[in-house]
Structure formats: structure tokens, C-alpha cells
Amino acid sequence: MGVPFKDIVVYLDGSESSMTAVMYAIKLAVEHEAKLTAVYVVNTKALGELVKAGIFVAIERDEYQRDLQADADRYLRHASKLAAQKQLELDTVKLEGAVHVVVRQLLKDRHADLLVLGGITDIRSRREELSSETDRMMRTAPCPVLVVRDDDDIWLEFEA
Amino acid sequence: MILLDVLDKDLVKVPLTASDKNGIIAELVEVVAKAKGYTTQQSEAILDAVLDRESLGSTGIGNGIAIPHAKTNVVKHVTMVVGVSRFPVDFVSPDDQKSRIFFLVLAPSSEASAHVELLASIARTCTSSVFRRMLEQSKDKDEVVRLFME
């Protein structure tokens, strides 16, 4: 375990809150002179579930697979640009699979000492099937987790 | 993204009154158009996108559930409408069971990831037969929202 943090991983999924987490993680990495990795997971597990459930037809699955890959590249590129604004070199990783499973493995492989996540859903339900990937990552990460609240101040401070 | 992230009481309709597949889709589109203040042209663009998708294969998934969906840039973010019908409607489901629970999911092309995750979240949520029965028996939109939140 490293304190201050030396190897930080931030998860992004294209949501506004995950981009806020990226900004926060960049500032944190600069402050701690830590290595920062941004990870995006193409959720092939969800795609598989949709085909199995009959919600997606094959042609649709292929189209969405391409869309998800494009999303991943676009958001990782954007994260790299944000890091460059703060003179930080960002390592980007694109993975495929069940989000919380592959992120957990990445954290283990890299011996990461901090996982940074965007906001957790405000509304809570007791239904396990309604828990989000962010919730699952928070519960299963093998390292400390920092949850960044989606806050305009972080965007303003980052751009200052 | 999960179902709770986009659940909005203004986008829930109980009961739906249409009696056939195309009517149900039009009614669900009308709910979102009214709630978001879309023009007739925007509303028609959504309807066309959903019917285009439907032409590839029915989105009736069985167990009394149908999830019509489409990509459309009329919506700014992933949007979901929930509807419950008093009477079963034939949605050409693989199990030949008629549907009473409907989720209309719309997403802009830039939110593929959230779109896929939301659809998967709906599919997971509806695996419980007890939950489906409770949804089918819900009397109004408040009850539908409460069922998801409890």
C-alpha cells in the first residue's frame, strides 16, 4: 500500500460523472506525482445479455459493438487531452468483458493503490439486480476507492 | 447506467390504453414527446426510429414484457418510458405470451454504452416473476416508481 498514492486508476464510462472523476484523478496524480491509468471497459457482458434475452438481434449487436469501441476510443482520447492540459502523461487501457471483473483484475495486475470512480447512483434500491457497475467496482476493488461527487466546482477548478 | 438512473415519474404511464403493438409504441412515444415538449416532427422522427428497429425483429422478449428501443438524436440523453397495460397486447414474443409491461428506451448515438447498460439493467430487473406480477398489478405511476425504488 502506498501513501501518498503512487499508482492510481480512474474508471470512465463516458458519463459526465466519470469525466469529473477523470479531472479529479488528474489533479490528484499531479499533486502526488503518481502514475495515472484511465480504463474504459467495452461492456461485452451486457451485449451478450441483450442477445440472450432477445432484446438485440445479431445485426444490432454488431452495430453496438462497433459503437462501444468507438465510444471507448473517443472518451480515452478525451481523457488523454485533459491530462495533457496538466502536463500529465496518461496511460489509457481499453478492456472488454464484465466491467467490475476486468477492472478488479487490472487493479490487481498493476498493484494499483487507488481506484477513482465517478458518482454512485443517488437513488438506492434493495434489489441486487439494480446495483450499478460502479457500485460493484466499489465493493470488489482490491484497493482503496475514492468516489468523486459530480460537482461543477471540480470542472471549474480544473479549467482554471 | 442502471434503470434507476433514468426512472422518471413523468415518463411512466399506467394504464396504457392502446390495444395493438403499433398503438402501444405510439402511446409510449407520445408520453415522452409530451413530457419533453417535442414538436410533432420530433415525435414522428422518434416513432419512425422505433418502428424501423421493430422491423428488424420484434422487441417482445417474452414473460409479458416488450422493450421497444431505438437510437435517435432527438433525445439528448438516454431516456426510458415505462408503461403498463391492463390488457395483454400481442408483441410477437418468442414465447407467444402477450405483453403488459413495456419499456421504451431511446438514446442518442453518442451514448451507446449507457444505452446498452440500461437495456441490460431492464432485462435483469424483469427476470423476477414476482416483480413482473407486481408491476402488472400496479394501479398508477406512483406505484410503479415505488416498486422499483423499494
Side-chain angles (χ1 to χ4, degrees), chain A residues 1-7 32 113 144:
Chain A
M1 182 181 74
V3 177
F5 304 113
K6 287 289 168 207
D7 204 327
H32 286 257
D113 47 25

Side-chain angles (χ1 to χ4, degrees), chain B residues 67-86:
Chain B
I67 313 179
H69 58 270
K71 273 194 279 191
T72 168
N73 287 329
V74 173
V75 295
K76 296 278 176 286
H77 298 289
V78 177
T79 304
M80 175 185 73
V81 182
V82 184
V84 180
S85 172
R86 291 267 177 271

